[in-house]
Amino acid sequence: MSSTSQQKSSVISSLVSPQNLLIFGITWVVLALLFFLLFSVSAPGEERPLWYSIGTYVFELGAFLMAALVCYRNWRSPQMVSGRNVWLGIGLGSLFYFMGGLLFGLWELVWNLDPVVSLGDGFYVLSYLLFGWGMVTAVTSKRLNLEVWQWATLAGVAIAGITLATWVADPSFFGLLGTTEEPPGQEQIVTTPNGVAMVDEAMAEEEEESTAPDWVLAVDAQLEPLGFWLNLFYIYGDVVLLILATALILAFWGGRFSQSWRMIAFAIFSLYVADTYFKWSDSRVEIEYESGNLLEVFFVFTGILFVIGAVLEYDISTRSRQSRRRRASRG
């Protein structure tokens, strides 16, 4: 029994070796990119097929589930140089992002709902907070001693991110666009002199086509007033994560573990690009926004870059400990 268990553990360890995980992650990204490139463009006036929407969720959720598992392995290892709490935050953030996407897919694909706020948003909010906690822990674990140009870079990223986020949230703030009109398909309520509210016909048709249980519709109605503040949280939360990602690159600049933390920073950059595009398209496009556009592949990039960063640090940390033991045994 002991020899059999040892053989099984050796086979599992070889399957989840850093090299195999990196190959699998890169393959996942390439397949996702090809999938989005080949099938994201639909004929004018036609909706994307259901199998394509399912495929986008599989690629995105699979990437974040993989990131959660790899970060969990890092958290369990006492050899992590950056500390275990860093990977606990990123791993839990990936897990909650996976759960939020799972619920969002249930709302969209199974029940044909497009609510302003759903239960999945609660998990998304938790994922943002956990990502931020993990990255703050990583930055504070290393004393920041930045040069003038590095502080200038950090300030430039902050100003650019805040400016873009403000424009996405309210383009009329800069006078670049006039008052934005409500895109078709969203709820438009007009109160008549008699006090009767008229709801947009598109929304009424959507509710009729939905197969969601009554409790789901009731929860969505209760959460809908939070839509405006939740949208602001996402937009400026992306900016905070972007600033932390830049600080990570500068903090680990040229260090031994800079390669792994570069991947983590690039993951946050990908999340910022995908989220900003999603929010911009959802509020600016004249026709009703349909998920699965090409730039949403950056969500997949985010999860896989988390995987690559965690794998690189695990490999460097374990190898450094092994080399120290060899030196001690030789001495």
Side-chain angles (χ1 to χ4, degrees):
M1 291 293 292
S2 60
S3 61
T4 305
S5 61
Q6 289 178 358
Q7 290 177 357
K8 289 182 179 179
S9 62
S10 63
V11 170
I12 294 174
S13 61
S14 63
L15 289 175
V16 296
S17 64
Q19 183 178 5
N20 288 340
L21 287 175
L22 289 177
I23 293 174
F24 185 80
I26 294 172
T27 304
W28 191 268
V29 164
V30 172
L31 292 176
L33 183 59
L34 290 175
F35 184 80
F36 276 83
L37 284 172
L38 293 175
F39 305 114
S40 62
V41 179
S42 58
E46 293 185 3
E47 295 183 356
R48 295 186 178 95
L50 178 62
W51 59 264
Y52 173 77
S53 299
I54 295 175
T56 59
Y57 275 101
V58 169
F59 278 112
E60 179 183 337
L61 298 183
F64 279 98
L65 181 60
M66 197 189 319
L69 295 175
V70 174
C71 290
Y72 172 72
R73 183 179 70 166
N74 284 17
W75 173 70
R76 289 190 60 191
S77 174
Q79 299 175 335
M80 294 298 102
V81 176
S82 299
R84 299 174 59 191
N85 288 336
V86 174
W87 299 107
L88 178 63
I90 297 177
L92 287 177
S94 300
L95 179 61
F96 282 123
Y97 205 96
F98 165 81
M99 297 173 68
L102 200 63
L103 287 175
F104 194 81
L106 183 66
W107 257 247
E108 181 183 16
L109 301 181
V110 178
W111 291 330
N112 298 318
L113 290 174
D114 186 20
V116 178
V117 183
S118 69
L119 288 180
D121 287 288
F123 290 96
Y124 283 139
V125 170
L126 289 174
S127 70
Y128 271 67
L129 297 176
L130 287 165
F131 285 147
W133 173 59
M135 296 173 67
V136 167
T137 305
V139 172
T140 54
S141 65
K142 186 178 179 64
R143 295 180 179 177
L144 285 179
N145 188 16
L146 304 181
E147 298 180 6
V148 176
W149 70 270
Q150 291 175 321
W151 281 113
T153 301
L154 192 61
V157 169
I159 294 172
I162 293 172
T163 303
L164 180 59
T166 304
W167 178 71
V168 171
D170 184 13
S172 62
F173 181 82
F174 296 100
L176 299 177
L177 293 177
T179 56
T180 57
E181 296 181 356
E182 200 75 28
Q186 292 188 0
E187 185 175 4
Q188 297 177 359
I189 301 176
V190 180
T191 304
T192 64
N194 297 328
V196 180
M198 297 184 297
V199 184
D200 188 6
E201 294 180 359
M203 178 62 72
E205 292 178 359
E206 181 181 349
E207 291 180 356
E208 291 178 359
E209 295 176 358
S210 174
T211 58
D214 292 337
W215 69 267
V216 172
L217 298 176
V219 169
D220 289 346
Q222 291 292 327
L223 296 177
E224 186 174 356
L226 301 176
F228 174 77
W229 300 107
L230 190 64
N231 191 50
L232 287 182
F233 173 83
Y234 286 142
I235 291 173
Y236 290 104
D238 286 327
V239 175
V240 173
L241 292 180
L242 183 67
I243 295 172
L244 289 174
T246 306
L248 272 177
I249 293 181
L250 298 176
F252 291 91
W253 187 272
R256 187 178 181 186
F257 297 91
S258 60
Q259 191 173 11
S260 61
W261 284 106
R262 265 184 237 150
M263 297 299 106
I264 301 298
F266 291 154
I268 298 300
F269 291 148
S270 297
L271 180 63
Y272 178 81
V273 170
D275 252 349
T276 302
Y277 171 75
F278 179 81
K279 295 300 178 185
W280 180 84
S281 299
D282 191 33
S283 59
R284 302 291 176 264
V285 177
E286 294 181 356
I287 60 175
E288 184 177 357
Y289 179 77
E290 186 180 0
S291 63
N293 287 343
L294 178 58
L295 285 184
E296 291 184 28
V297 75
F298 278 89
F299 286 122
V300 183
F301 293 169
T302 301
I304 295 301
L305 285 168
F306 278 142
V307 171
I308 295 175
V311 169
L312 289 176
E313 169 137 340
Y314 182 86
D315 184 43
I316 295 174
S317 298
T318 53
R319 276 192 297 150
S320 62
R321 289 296 179 91
Q322 291 174 358
S323 62
R324 289 176 186 174
R325 290 175 183 174
R326 290 173 185 171
R327 292 174 186 174
S329 62
R330 289 176 184 176

